Amino acid sequence: MNKDLSARSILARVLEVAMYTGHAMSCLFCKIVEGSIPSTAVFQDDLVYAFADIGPKAPVHVLIVPREHIGSVKEAGKDKRALLGHLLWIAAEIAREKKLDKGYRIVVNTGEDGGQTVDHLHLHLLGGRMLTWPPG
Ligand code: 5GP
Ligand code: ZN
């Protein structure tokens, strides 16, 4: 292998691990994903962790987050398209499993105007009651 290339890929990996460790130390949902803050798990696979919202706004209120730290959909690059689709599909799977046959809402608050309070990309799955529109 080209020496420069392998040095560069090692450096990239070191930076990736450093960034991950930094987020894991400071980000609430990274801490929940890694288990240092307890949560009630609803679903998990190698890419995604879903857990009950601590302040439920509906009888069913689940948060679906990527295991890797992504601040919001604003920060999700083209390489994250499959992951974004996976998150949406998992939300629909959880809704099926929770028997939300009458319908539900999937919300992705983004940035300050969007009402995002935790800067780790997450989908809200809300259901189990009639939800009003438009939101506030
Ligand atoms: P956002 O306002 O960013 O769209 O949503 C953040 C959500 O995270 C809120 O619905 C809030 O209730 C939930 N939340 C905040 N802190 C915690 C926590 O420590 N544990 C759990 N399970 N949910 C949390
Ligand atoms: Zn995070």
Side-chain angles (χ1 to χ4, degrees):
M1 195 195 290
N2 178 313
K3 259 191 200 163
D4 278 354
L5 250 185
S6 75
R8 228 179 291 160
S9 60
I10 290 167
L11 182 62
R13 181 74 189 128
V14 167
L15 284 173
E16 208 176 285
V17 170
M19 276 173 67
Y20 174 78
T21 310
H23 289 310
M25 279 163 54
S26 63
C27 169
L28 175 66
F29 286 177
C30 281
K31 287 180 185 164
I32 286 179
V33 165
E34 67 166 29
S36 61
I37 290 182
S39 63
T40 304
V42 173
F43 171 88
Q44 48 193 318
D45 67 14
D46 53 333
L47 298 172
V48 165
Y49 182 60
F51 54 101
D53 195 292
I54 204 168
K57 313 298 185 295
V60 173
H61 189 171
V62 177
L63 300 171
I64 300 118
V65 313
R67 287 188 181 277
E68 73 171 285
H69 181 89
I70 301 171
S72 78
V73 284
K74 277 193 300 177
E75 283 87 46
K78 204 172 178 182
D79 58 323
K80 304 300 179 204
R81 285 178 301 171
L83 176 60
L84 295 177
H86 186 62
L87 289 163
L88 194 54
W89 186 75
I90 292 302
E93 279 286 283
I94 295 169
R96 268 187 285 277
E97 196 263 324
K98 297 272 181 197
K99 310 232 177 304
L100 298 176
D101 303 332
K102 287 178 74 183
Y104 51 86
R105 189 170 295 164
I106 295 168
V107 175
V108 187
N109 294 328
T110 304
E112 195 182 341
D113 277 5
Q116 182 175 6
T117 59
V118 179
D119 291 335
H120 180 130
L121 170 63
H122 51 283
L123 278 57
H124 295 256
L125 170 66
L126 296 149
R129 68 168 170 86
M130 175 69 83
L131 298 161
T132 56
W133 189 264

